């Protein structure tokens, strides 16, 4: 699943993939793969991304799923 919320948050902070990658210590390709839904980041990386984008884990990485009961 694509991570549109992360991409939107990055754009709102006026950061390129490369700039965000530099802030969190990964490659631009890693950021691109996370946004494309092709890479599951570690919890440590998720936290670093959240801090760089001033967002919460829930806000960026938790999937909104409606549960049927």
């Amino acid at each position: 699943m694509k991570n549109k919320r992360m991409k939107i948050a990055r754009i709102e902070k006026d950061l390129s993939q490369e700039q965000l990658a530099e802030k969190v210590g990964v490659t631009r390709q890693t950021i691109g793969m996370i946004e494309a839904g092709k890479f599951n980041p570690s919890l440590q990386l998720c936290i670093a991304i959240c801090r760089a984008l001033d967002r919460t884990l829930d806000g960026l990485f938790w999937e909104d799923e409606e549960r049927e009961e």
Side-chain angles (χ1 to χ4, degrees), residues 38-52:
K38 297 180 180 182
F39 181 76
N40 263 340
S42 68
L43 180 57
Q44 183 178 8
L45 179 53
C46 288
I47 291 169
I49 291 169
C50 288
R51 287 183 177 151

Side-chain angles (χ1 to χ4, degrees), residues 3 8-9 11-17 19 21 27-28 31 33 35 37 42 47 56 59 62 68-69:
N3 195 329
I8 291 167
I11 292 168
E12 287 175 351
K13 291 287 272 184
D14 198 28
L15 294 172
S16 67
Q17 286 183 345
Q19 290 168 321
T27 65
R28 182 206 53 79
I31 298 299
M33 287 174 39
E35 289 182 357
S42 68
I47 291 169
T56 65
W62 191 257
E68 295 179 23
E69 295 185 32

